Each structure stands twice: as C-alpha cells, then as structure tokens.
Amino acid sequence: MSDTPFGFGLPPEEPEDGDEGKKKDPAGGGQGSGGQGGGNPFGANPFGFGGLPGMGGQGGADNPFAAMFGSMNPTDLGAAFQQLGQMLSYEGGPVNWDMAKQIARQVVAQGTADGVKDTSVGPAEKSAVEEAVRLADLWLDQATSLPSGANVAVAWSRAEWVEATLPAWKELVDPVAERVGNAMGDVLPQEMQAMAGPLIGMMRSMGGAMFGQQIGQAIGALAGEVVGSTDVGLPLGPAGRAALLPLNVASFGKDLGVPSDEVRLYLALREAAHQRLFAHVPWLRAHLFGAVESYARGIKVDTSKLEEAVSQLDPTHPEQLQEALQSGMFQPQDTPEQKAALARLETALALVEGWVDAVVHEAAKTRLTSADALRETLRRRRATGGPAEQTFATLIGLELRPRRLRDASRLWASLTDARGVDGRDGLWEHPDMLPTATDLDDPDGFVHREHLDFSELDRMLGEAAQGDRPEDGDEDGNGDSGK
C-alpha cells in the first residue's frame, strides 16, 4: 500500500516541480502536486486552491486570503470568485468531478515536462492507428482463442483520453473518497454536528473540491504518459474501443532505437489483447473494480488522531488544517479486509498483465524484430511502478503494480505448452479456475494439477449434458446416449 492514501501526502515528484515550480505555473503548478512545491500537497494556501486560474498562492501562510488572491490580476479575480462559489455550492458526491475534469484539462493544456503540448489527431495518425489495430487483431487470432474485442480503433489526443476515461476514474475513486469522507465526518459528536450543520456542509463541498483538484492534477499528468486505454491494467475507456494516443506513442518510442511503425504495432497488440480479455471475460471488470471497493470498505481511520486534531484546530489559523493533513492523521490503518482485497487485486492484475504479455509475445516474436526489446521495456515500465501505478497510488493509496508479472507470464506460457491455446484461455471462464498467488510460486504444479482437474470437469460436464436429454434418464449418464 502506498504511504500517500488518497493524495494526502506527497505525490510523485515531477521534473518541473520544486522551489521554482511556484513561479512557472500560475494555473496550478506541477503535475500531480496540487500546484506547489514538495512540502505542501494542497498548495500554499491551506485549502488547496492552487489549481484555480490566477491563484498563484504567493501570499503569506498566516493569511489564506492573501495566499489565494494576493498575486491575482483583476481580470482573473471574477473567474476565481465564480469558481470559489461553484465549489462552495457543490452538493454532489465525495469528489467534485467537474473540478477534476477542468483541472485535468488545464494540466493537459500546459504540456509535459519535455515541452510537448497536446495536439489534435490528424487523419494520417488516425489511419495509422486503425491499420495497426487491424493488423494486431489478425496476428492475435492465431495466439488466442478469444475473439476480437475491439469494435472500433480510435486515436485519441490527451484531452480526449481525459474525457473518455473520467467515468471509470469516478467508479474507482468514489468508493474510497466516500469512505474517507465518512470517517472524517464521524469525528464530531452528534450534538456538535447538529450545531455545525451549515459549516459541515461547506467543509464537505470544499473537501470535494480538494479531492477534485488533486485527482484532476493526477489524471492530467497521467494523460501525458499513457499510450492507450489499458495502461494500468484496467479498462478505463469505453468498451469495444481500442485506443492509442499517437503523441504519447511517439514519445514512448523516441529513444528506443526501434522503427516507429513497430512501436505502434506492438502497443496496438497489447491494447487489442486487453480488449479481447475484458470483452470476453464478462466477470473480469467487476472482479477488478470490486477489489478496489473491498479495499475501500476496509479503510479504518484512526479517529483518536482526528478527534485530537479537530479539538486543537484554531479557526483563526486555518494553516493548522494543512499541518494536520501532512501529519498523516487520515492515513488508513492496515486491516485484514484491506490486505485481502489488495492481495486479490494484485494477483488479478498480474494474471491479466501476464496473459497479455504471453499472448502478445507469441503473436509478435516471429513478426517483429524488436519484439523482445519492446517486451522487456514494457515489463520494466509496469514492474518498477511507472507513472500509471504512481498516479493511482497517489489517488487512493493503491498501487496497481503487477508485482508477479514475470511469474504470471511464465505460468501462462507453460499452460500453452501443456494444454494448448484453448486450454489456457479456458481458465478465464470463472474466477475460481484461475491460478492463485500460491500457484505463481509453483507454476509447474498448477499446470499438472489443472490438467487432471479439467479432465474430471470435462467428464462431469459430459454427464450433465447427457442428463439434460429427455431420453436419458439414468443417473450416471452412461448407456442411454445411444437410444
């Protein structure tokens, strides 16, 4: 588990952040940071409004209004107050997703640290992506029994990726945000909650804005890194759409010494393989997202720390809230429920990524001269905690890292050798048929054991099929099939 649950700590450092980051970004600062330097996840002002237009946050720490408005020019003042009003009037869920979307779009518009700004996708790039996905699906037909899961191939700009993936982020983040918010709200005694009703409502609105700002920053930063819709091992985009981001694909392959068309095709293979798996294993998406919800249900916040912090807060010094946030008082405790959910999620991600790795390698190894090099590059990117994993860890405290990717890939390859493509892919029919974390330690044992179990299962299914026939009435399914 990450030490920065739901963004209440320091997000991953970006090259442009640091002491000079305050001067470079009047619209919200470095990616994933809430807009300011390393010591403050919410910006120079205590309520984290560094991402609003014009709020440079240069005022004194003892004066939140100076921090919020001191460096603002008159042109921005009206827009800032308008957004502040929108935040205080927000009555939605635990995260202000309108703000998250706005901040993410702002981060995308600023460009990445290397100075590359988002651009619209041209006809030639769209055609190249469509052709790459079409060819990838042809190659995959020979490497897996699962049919194509992509109804259409699309080429997205970074801004289009933000728009397309926000519904999935909402589904993933809201359960954790709600659980943390409820834990915070339960601190006040019941009689005090009744007296402070309007204030609590305002704080919830501002809390939703803080969450929205950080999530928007993180998603915007991620949009500058991802190459498709499945980089985190989860289906973030609409079903049936195999997506690549041409701008990021070019950045990914820039220093690899591999022809750009081979890079594009290899990434298209991975995207198309993910699409097949999520399209034709109907329980898989719910299994992965359900593990995140289980993790959220297991969150327990140390209320004694919260109660102590609330009792000592001085309304005349709102920067104390900032200090309390940085002290880790909201950090969830490790619970058995969380550990079980996290283990289930990590194993499932390893199996998904391992299957994709094995299938793509089988499809590409004799066709692409750079297949081995690209495979190793992507394995390291996922296993060492790339930007996707780091961003999600910042958002909700979970690391979407397939730690056992290589083990899972070896297991799927062994299953292919022992049972063939159909036998390997048949394991996805039900979650109980999949390898466990223990099986990854002994892949040969699993392959042998599953071979015997499948024979028994085939016999049982055959008997059940015989019993379903009207003319077959015997209990053991033998002897009547020829009637």
Side-chain angles (χ1 to χ4, degrees):
M1 189 189 309
S2 168
D3 291 332
T4 56
F6 203 70
F8 287 121
L10 299 181
E13 293 183 1
E14 298 291 342
E16 68 271 29
D17 285 345
D19 294 337
E20 296 180 2
K22 303 175 183 178
K23 301 177 182 179
K24 292 193 292 186
D25 188 0
Q31 298 170 0
S33 67
Q36 301 298 331
N40 183 357
F42 294 110
N45 63 80
F47 297 110
F49 297 123
L52 298 182
M55 291 189 178
Q58 304 301 316
D62 292 334
N63 186 345
F65 294 100
M68 293 168 63
F69 305 118
S71 62
M72 186 178 301
N73 63 58
T75 304
D76 294 329
L77 188 59
F81 273 115
Q82 181 180 5
Q83 288 199 17
L84 183 59
Q86 291 173 351
M87 286 187 296
L88 295 180
S89 62
Y90 173 71
E91 297 180 352
V95 178
N96 187 331
W97 286 102
D98 290 336
M99 170 164 286
K101 176 180 175 180
Q102 179 181 355
I103 296 296
R105 293 294 298 263
Q106 289 176 357
V107 172
V108 166
Q110 293 166 12
T112 50
D114 57 4
V116 177
K117 292 186 176 295
D118 194 24
T119 58
S120 299
V121 178
E125 292 173 315
K126 292 180 180 179
S127 178
V129 168
E130 291 170 356
E131 176 61 22
V133 173
R134 184 194 66 79
L135 185 56
D137 260 337
L138 287 176
W139 291 1
L140 288 171
D141 283 340
Q142 302 174 38
T144 174
S145 62
L146 299 181
S148 174
N151 301 323
V152 62
V154 294
W156 285 340
S157 66
R158 293 166 178 171
E160 288 172 326
W161 182 89
V162 169
E163 296 280 352
T165 62
L166 271 177
W169 288 117
K170 187 176 188 297
E171 186 177 352
L172 286 165
V173 173
D174 270 352
V176 182
E178 184 174 4
R179 184 67 187 90
V180 172
N182 289 341
M184 293 165 59
D186 292 342
V187 173
L188 291 177
Q190 192 66 35
E191 59 273 13
M192 188 175 296
Q193 290 187 22
M195 296 174 58
L199 178 60
I200 291 177
M202 184 182 72
M203 291 305 296
R204 284 176 178 169
S205 297
M206 297 180 73
M210 286 194 296
F211 294 158
Q213 181 192 359
Q214 282 210 306
I215 292 169
Q217 289 277 353
I219 293 176
L222 185 55
E225 306 274 3
V226 295
V227 296
S229 69
T230 55
D231 285 42
V232 298
L234 297 172
L236 296 179
R241 289 181 175 264
L244 291 180
L245 283 70
L247 186 62
N248 293 354
V249 170
S251 296
F252 171 81
K254 182 175 60 174
D255 299 323
L256 297 181
V258 177
S260 60
D261 57 339
E262 288 199 20
V263 173
R264 184 190 307 111
L265 184 50
Y266 193 88
L267 295 176
L269 281 165
R270 288 183 55 82
E271 178 74 9
H274 277 102
Q275 293 295 334
R276 288 182 182 229
L277 197 57
F278 288 119
H280 299 291
V281 182
W283 56 265
L284 182 56
R285 187 182 191 279
H287 182 75
L288 293 169
F289 281 59
V292 177
E293 292 186 15
S294 297
Y295 171 86
R297 287 195 298 270
I299 289 178
K300 296 186 185 302
V301 178
D302 188 346
T303 56
S304 63
K305 288 185 179 180
L306 279 171
E307 291 170 357
E308 181 181 359
V310 170
S311 65
Q312 295 178 358
L313 283 179
D314 183 352
T316 63
H317 292 86
E319 69 275 4
Q320 290 181 2
L321 174 61
Q322 166 187 322
E323 297 171 358
L325 291 171
Q326 295 180 31
S327 71
M329 71 175 185
F330 295 132
Q331 182 168 340
Q333 304 168 350
D334 284 336
T335 64
E337 296 85 357
Q338 278 186 296
K339 291 178 180 178
L342 189 58
R344 181 160 63 101
L345 180 62
E346 287 182 344
T347 300
L349 285 172
L351 293 174
V352 168
E353 293 293 289
W355 182 89
V356 168
D357 179 79
V359 168
V360 168
H361 182 68
E362 182 65 26
K365 65 182 181 181
T366 60
R367 296 182 173 98
L368 294 178
T369 58
S370 57
D372 289 338
L374 289 169
R375 182 190 200 188
E376 186 61 27
T377 297
L378 284 161
R379 277 182 166 185
R380 291 179 179 179
R381 175 182 167 110
R382 287 297 280 126
T384 58
E389 179 268 321
Q390 291 173 359
T391 297
F392 205 81
T394 301
L395 290 180
I396 63 174
L398 280 174
E399 294 181 347
L400 290 182
R401 183 185 302 179
R403 303 176 189 275
R404 308 291 300 276
L405 187 154
R406 294 177 187 270
D407 295 335
S409 182
R410 282 193 292 268
L411 186 146
W412 289 119
S414 297
L415 282 168
T416 306
D417 294 338
R419 298 189 50 82
V421 169
D422 291 343
R424 177 200 66 198
D425 294 346
L427 288 175
W428 290 106
E429 291 179 4
H430 192 277
D432 291 343
M433 298 167 67
L434 288 177
T436 65
T438 302
D439 293 324
L440 294 179
D441 297 327
D442 182 20
D444 292 336
F446 175 82
V447 171
H448 180 69
R449 183 174 71 254
E450 283 300 307
H451 181 75
L452 295 177
D453 288 347
F454 266 106
S455 298
E456 179 67 15
L457 180 61
D458 289 342
R459 185 186 67 79
M460 294 172 62
L461 291 175
E463 292 177 359
Q466 294 292 334
D468 287 340
R469 294 184 179 183
E471 66 271 27
D472 293 345
D474 59 15
E475 294 181 357
D476 61 6
N478 294 323
D480 294 337
S481 58
K483 290 183 180 180

